[in-house]
Amino acid sequence: MIVRDPYCGLPVDPEREEFKAEARGSTYYFCSERCMHLFLERPYIAYFSMEVGIRSEIPTYSGGLGVLAGDVIRSSADLRIPLVAVTLLSRKGYLRQKISKEGEQLECAEEWNPSEFMCSLSAEVKVRIEGRDVKVRSWLYEHQGLTGGVVPVLFLDTNVDGNMAEDRGITDFLYGGDDKYRLRQEIVLGLGGVKMLKSLGFKVRNYHMNEGHSSLLTLELLRDNGMDADRVRSLCIFTTHTPVETAFDKFSHSIVKDLLKELFPIDVLKKYGGQDSLNMTLLALNLSKYINGVTKAHMEYSNNLFPGHHIRAVTNGVHSYTWTCQCFRELFDKYIPGWANEPELLVRADRIPDYETWNAHIKAKENLIDFVDEKTGVKMDVSTLTLGFARRAADYKRATLILSDLEKLRRINRMGKLQMIFAGKAHPRDESGKNIIRQIYKFKEQLKDEIKIAYLENYNMDVAAKLTSGVDVWLNTPHSPLEASGTSGMKAAHNGVINFSVQDGWWIEGCIEGVTGWSIGPSPDESIGEDRRKSKELEDLYGKLAYLVIPTFYESRDNWINMMENSIAKIAYYFNSHRMMRRYITEAYLI
């Protein structure tokens, strides 16, 4: 492996000891004294996220929020942005999912060994929880980008000698336990994360909070800055991902008092975090200079939800190289050189010969179908129109919307064969989410002689990559306006997969009807009752599937391939995390 200067990216000789430095728990090699000085003295953006999806084998993520954080890290490394990420170690992961033949989700811990992927650092800090000191250490993972840039990721760990057994388990389960367990985790992430950065010698220019889970860091910064709220605001950036108030993290003041004791005055907590309870989103909003939603629509919802705050929009994106399958990587390398670090070049996708676009897709589809057969025993056909739906099993995602009328679906299937692949985990305490999986299994059994349906268990990043590159159509049917952004459809578009989605989240910006894909249902601006909205969505879903999607796929291959290339040229070129991070650099980090 080539060793590169972490500042300029040039290859270096690690034998040259004069340009070697030990810093922040790692060893670095430089091509010159100037690069060494500039690297060691530069200030960092500290990016805090409760979950981070950096690779499937490190199960410290549950879904889109963590995978987005991973894409932030990947693009920051490629663009050589001085960013350090802070998260929790989550020794037992989110959950490992098994599904019975009846569709019952069975959960167990996803045990993993951090030492296989990262190194333990000697630095140790303490946070006060319930009146006692809890020791926090960290593990260092260094992500090297395509250009040689490196982003350090600190995984905070309380499984430290000297801690009580209860405290050693704080960083075990991602999103596990009750409110007290969750608040303990957020104390470790927010307060412990700031202390760990100081202990390791990071010079931090800004603190970027990815959702409200880490917003207690603002309290630590208040204490460090003499309770100067304006100074703290000048340091903080907050990205909110939630479009409805009921989903915000909130803790009763009695729980907060039990855990934080007198660490922070209650009047301070109420002033910035809410009078009725400690609202982590409100705390971040009140102590951040730059606040953004993750799509333009989400910005509008958030500004209505929090009047008096100026909330901007930075639409999410995905890391182009990571989420493009090997078949299309090779195709892009051949016809669009440089695309991996300049994904805006994908706008030139129309220069790719149609037959090569189709052949690349068929290879990706064959890979997926082989995987489905191996994992589920369902033998699918590569020539059959394949719909994919994969995301967290939650009510508002409405995975079963397409299965609302089985007789109508059967009639459509006679017009052109269909097959469907589902995937997604339900939170262990979400019974309605688990019931969605049961329902899909029930419908799967009812349709088994006509429409093949597979459900892939233990959905993770690797499975997501296979699905978003191998299906023909990516289906998304959330209850509008509950999808703040969504990014799986962006991944699909990078592989020429066509989106068929409710007008919500990013698809409001990405959809050009009949050009980049198809929309389902009325515009979110259309004021109609919920029953009428659902009726129109079902009318669109079944009508467009029967009279647009199926005929185009089976009878107009040239038009289908044109839409595939439009997905790449008009979606992937823009909805990528390189563009997103450049927006953060120019609008948030440099203010």
Side-chain angles (χ1 to χ4, degrees):
M1 182 177 177
I2 298 174
V3 178
R4 294 184 180 276
D5 185 315
Y7 184 78
C8 69
L10 291 174
V12 296
D13 180 4
E15 299 299 322
R16 298 182 64 183
E17 293 288 323
E18 70 269 29
F19 299 139
K20 171 184 173 182
E22 304 281 343
R24 304 163 195 139
S26 191
T27 302
Y28 299 100
Y29 299 92
F30 302 90
C31 65
S32 66
E33 185 175 351
R34 176 180 179 276
C35 283
M36 181 166 64
H37 173 77
L38 290 172
F39 177 81
L40 295 176
E41 293 301 315
R42 67 180 180 174
Y44 277 77
I45 305 300
Y47 183 80
F48 280 68
S49 184
M50 185 81 148
E51 53 174 299
V52 167
I54 200 69
R55 53 193 291 182
S56 276
E57 301 91 337
I58 302 178
T60 56
Y61 63 97
S62 70
L65 185 72
V67 175
L68 175 78
D71 286 346
V72 166
I73 291 164
R74 285 181 272 272
S75 280
S76 295
D78 292 349
L79 297 172
R80 314 187 70 79
I81 299 170
L83 183 140
V84 54
V86 182
T87 188
L88 299 182
L89 187 65
S90 300
R91 282 180 174 270
K92 297 182 180 179
Y94 176 56
L95 66 89
R96 175 170 285 278
Q97 181 196 54
K98 296 287 287 183
I99 304 176
S100 73
K101 292 180 180 179
E102 295 74 32
E104 294 292 334
Q105 174 176 289
L106 309 172
E107 308 114 16
C108 61
E110 189 148 23
E111 304 272 5
W112 64 291
N113 183 359
S115 64
E116 294 179 4
F117 306 98
M118 52 193 78
C119 61
S120 178
L121 302 182
S122 59
E124 184 178 287
V125 299
K126 295 175 181 178
V127 292
R128 296 284 289 179
I129 301 178
E130 294 182 285
R132 63 182 177 273
D133 284 337
V134 175
K135 298 176 183 179
V136 182
R137 299 185 73 174
S138 65
W139 295 75
L140 174 66
Y141 179 92
E142 293 185 301
H143 176 77
Q144 182 166 323
L146 301 173
T147 62
V150 175
V151 167
V153 186
L154 301 176
F155 290 83
L156 304 179
D157 186 12
T158 60
N159 187 16
V160 179
D161 289 343
N163 280 342
M164 294 173 52
E166 180 183 24
D167 296 335
R168 293 181 75 140
I170 291 174
T171 53
D172 274 356
F173 288 99
L174 178 62
Y175 301 132
D178 57 14
D179 281 353
K180 279 196 169 183
Y181 185 80
R182 285 284 296 275
L183 184 54
R184 290 187 188 102
Q185 289 188 321
E186 297 189 15
I187 290 170
V188 170
L189 178 62
L191 307 185
V194 173
K195 289 184 175 184
M196 184 60 71
L197 290 169
K198 286 189 289 185
S199 176
L200 291 170
F202 282 94
K203 298 175 183 178
V204 178
R205 173 178 184 152
N206 291 116
Y207 296 82
H208 187 166
M209 294 170 276
N210 187 39
E211 251 314 347
H213 310 114
S214 60
S215 63
L216 288 178
L217 71 83
T218 60
L219 300 182
E220 185 68 18
L221 295 177
L222 275 173
R223 189 162 54 183
D224 287 349
N225 290 276
M227 305 306 288
D228 184 344
D230 287 337
R231 170 61 181 156
V232 172
R233 288 188 191 98
S234 73
L235 296 171
C236 292
I237 295 131
F238 175 49
T239 299
T240 173
H241 294 259
T242 308
V244 289
E245 190 172 7
T246 54
F248 297 142
D249 258 359
K250 296 178 184 176
F251 300 99
S252 71
H253 285 302
S254 62
I255 289 179
V256 173
K257 188 173 182 180
D258 285 346
L259 269 60
L260 289 178
K261 299 296 183 185
E262 303 303 323
L263 203 57
F264 299 100
I266 192 67
D267 61 317
V268 172
L269 297 178
K270 289 186 174 182
K271 178 180 180 180
Y272 297 114
Q275 293 295 316
D276 299 326
S277 61
L278 179 57
N279 182 326
M280 306 302 269
T281 297
L282 196 59
L283 180 62
L285 285 167
N286 284 328
L287 289 169
S288 296
K289 65 171 181 180
Y290 185 94
I291 306 157
N292 71 281
V294 289
T295 59
K296 292 175 182 176
H298 180 228
M299 172 193 71
E300 294 172 4
Y301 302 143
S302 299
N303 276 313
N304 290 332
L305 200 56
F306 294 103
H309 292 279
H310 179 35
I311 301 175
R312 301 167 172 87
V314 179
T315 299
N316 282 341
V318 301
H319 188 253
S320 295
Y321 187 81
T322 296
W323 295 108
T324 300
C325 70
Q326 187 60 34
C327 312
F328 274 93
R329 285 180 187 175
E330 293 172 2
L331 198 59
F332 296 160
D333 285 343
K334 180 178 179 181
Y335 290 101
I336 315 173
W339 70 275
N341 203 43
E342 293 183 80
E344 59 269 30
L345 294 175
L346 293 173
V347 74
R348 302 174 181 172
D350 60 356
R351 66 173 55 178
I352 302 172
D354 287 0
Y355 78 93
E356 293 199 50
T357 298
W358 184 251
N359 288 343
H361 172 63
I362 290 300
K363 288 178 186 175
K365 191 173 181 180
E366 288 172 342
N367 291 338
L368 172 63
I369 285 174
D370 289 345
F371 180 76
V372 169
D373 183 16
E374 175 191 342
K375 295 297 181 182
T376 70
V378 178
K379 298 187 181 300
M380 294 191 163
D381 177 18
V382 73
S383 64
T384 298
L385 177 62
T386 305
L387 278 60
F389 186 106
R391 46 192 51 81
R392 183 161 51 90
D395 265 346
Y396 83 92
K397 300 284 189 180
R398 299 194 300 179
T400 57
L401 189 68
I402 192 170
L403 302 168
S404 298
D405 188 334
L406 297 192
E407 284 309 311
K408 186 169 287 187
L409 199 57
R410 287 184 173 105
R411 290 197 298 273
I412 292 170
N413 184 59
R414 288 193 286 271
M415 299 169 71
K417 292 290 288 181
L418 298 171
Q419 56 194 15
M420 297 182 229
I421 306 171
F422 292 87
K425 299 176 180 178
H427 188 278
R429 296 198 303 273
D430 184 0
E431 286 304 318
S432 63
K434 292 179 181 181
N435 192 49
I436 289 168
I437 299 174
R438 293 187 200 104
Q439 289 176 349
I440 293 173
Y441 268 70
K442 182 184 73 174
F443 295 136
K444 173 175 171 281
E445 181 65 20
Q446 292 176 17
L447 294 168
K448 65 180 181 181
D449 295 326
E450 298 157 273
I451 301 174
K452 292 180 180 178
I453 297 177
Y455 200 106
L456 293 169
E457 65 183 17
N458 206 42
Y459 186 50
N460 60 22
M461 288 174 60
D462 286 346
V463 176
K466 287 182 171 65
L467 269 169
T468 54
S469 62
V471 296
D472 299 303
V473 172
W474 194 250
L475 185 64
N476 187 31
T477 50
H479 191 297
S480 178
L482 303 184
E483 187 86 289
S485 171
T487 54
S488 59
M490 303 175 190
K491 300 177 179 89
H494 274 76
N495 298 281
V497 171
I498 298 172
N499 278 272
F500 186 28
S501 174
V502 164
Q503 295 187 67
D504 199 14
W506 80 277
W507 189 234
I508 297 172
E509 300 172 45
C511 179
I512 305 172
E513 186 69 21
V515 177
T516 59
W518 295 279
S519 63
I520 297 170
S523 162
D525 298 330
E526 194 173 328
S527 298
I528 56 176
E530 289 303 316
D531 289 344
R532 179 60 182 146
R533 177 174 290 276
K534 183 177 179 181
S535 175
K536 292 187 76 170
E537 286 171 342
L538 285 171
E539 182 182 323
D540 246 12
L541 174 56
Y542 290 134
K544 289 182 179 178
L545 185 57
Y547 298 108
L548 289 175
V549 181
I550 285 174
T552 307
F553 180 81
Y554 284 111
E555 300 167 18
S556 184
R557 180 60 48 78
D558 288 346
N559 285 338
W560 188 271
I561 295 172
N562 188 47
M563 289 184 72
M564 291 175 63
E565 291 174 348
N566 286 339
S567 292
I568 299 165
K570 299 184 189 307
I571 293 177
Y573 95 98
Y574 179 79
F575 291 94
N576 59 75
S577 51
H578 276 37
R579 182 268 315 158
M580 177 183 73
M581 291 312 298
R582 290 188 181 107
R583 286 280 307 279
Y584 280 125
I585 292 168
T586 57
E587 296 181 22
Y589 302 158
L590 297 184
I591 289 179

